[in-house]
Amino acid sequence: THHSSLRAEQQVIACQSGALTETNGHGDNNICPSDNRGMIQDESGNETEEVRFAPAVESQHRRFSLEEYDDVYVIGDVHGCLAELEALLDKLNPGSSDLLVFVGDLVCKGPGSQGVVERVREAPNMHSVRGNNEEKLIAGESDNHGLRARDLEWLRSCPVAISWKETLVVHAGVD
């Protein structure tokens, strides 16, 4: 299967005639125009009208309804630093009814990539988009950092975009 690649290039988002568009500066458009609005089901089965990504990206996009969560935390690049992640979680003290969304790059650089992946994967209220480091691992372009086959499969299953009402989380843009 082909997975969308992620780039660290600055993305340009513009509103043109009421249509939300995203371009990477090369004329590629990854969000469908307003005539492609439609009823979308989120993870809870609730239907809302939202702008949809082009089909190649839409299949890797996960939507959430915040109605079932008390608080939402968006957590930046952890880069395999399990001790620091645990310290942050201790400080935040999230409950099981809180949503934690990671912006990718759970792995690489730090010594605990496997522990970070396991911690996020095992928690039902923690979700992550794929970052460029996950993409490199999946493509076999990077050392596996102690990750097992099931860890890599889970990373492969992570979406490239997570959204909820008026919020979109991606790592560095969707290509």
Side-chain angles (χ1 to χ4, degrees), residues 4-172:
S4 291
S5 62
L6 302 177
R7 285 191 297 188
E9 290 183 23
Q10 181 178 356
Q11 300 293 302
V12 179
I13 297 177
C15 184
Q16 302 171 343
S17 307
L20 178 65
T21 60
E22 177 183 19
T23 176
N24 60 11
H26 303 289
D28 300 331
N29 185 351
N30 291 324
I31 298 180
C32 297
S34 60
D35 62 339
N36 257 351
R37 294 180 71 88
M39 297 307 287
I40 306 289
Q41 277 196 352
D42 62 25
E43 290 283 309
S44 301
N46 299 320
E47 288 193 350
T48 59
E49 184 179 52
E50 292 188 23
V51 173
R52 291 177 288 180
F53 284 96
V57 175
E58 186 60 42
S59 66
Q60 300 176 68
H61 178 200
R62 188 170 300 148
R63 291 176 171 78
F64 286 92
S65 169
L66 297 186
E67 294 172 10
E68 63 190 79
Y69 298 102
D70 292 335
D71 290 310
V72 175
Y73 299 97
V74 176
I75 301 172
D77 306 29
V78 178
H79 283 294
C81 297
L82 181 59
E84 290 79 1
L85 173 60
E86 292 295 354
L88 176 63
L89 294 175
D90 285 346
K91 189 171 203 160
L92 293 175
N93 193 27
S96 61
S97 60
D98 295 330
L99 176 65
L100 289 84
V101 176
F102 292 82
V103 299
D105 280 1
L106 296 175
V107 300
C108 301
K109 298 184 183 179
S113 290
Q114 196 280 322
V116 170
V117 168
E118 186 173 320
R119 178 75 165 95
V120 176
R121 181 184 65 227
E122 299 300 320
N125 62 334
M126 293 185 189
H127 303 273
S128 183
V129 297
R130 287 194 314 264
N132 59 302
N133 284 303
E134 286 84 14
E135 291 289 337
K136 289 176 189 175
L137 282 169
I138 291 166
E141 299 170 1
S142 175
D143 174 15
N144 74 0
H145 299 277
L147 298 174
R148 301 169 301 216
R150 76 181 233 178
D151 300 324
L152 293 172
E153 193 56 39
W154 180 80
L155 290 173
R156 190 174 287 111
S157 75
C158 289
V160 296
I162 292 176
S163 68
W164 56 88
K165 187 177 184 175
E166 299 180 9
T167 303
L168 175 65
V169 177
V170 296
H171 180 70

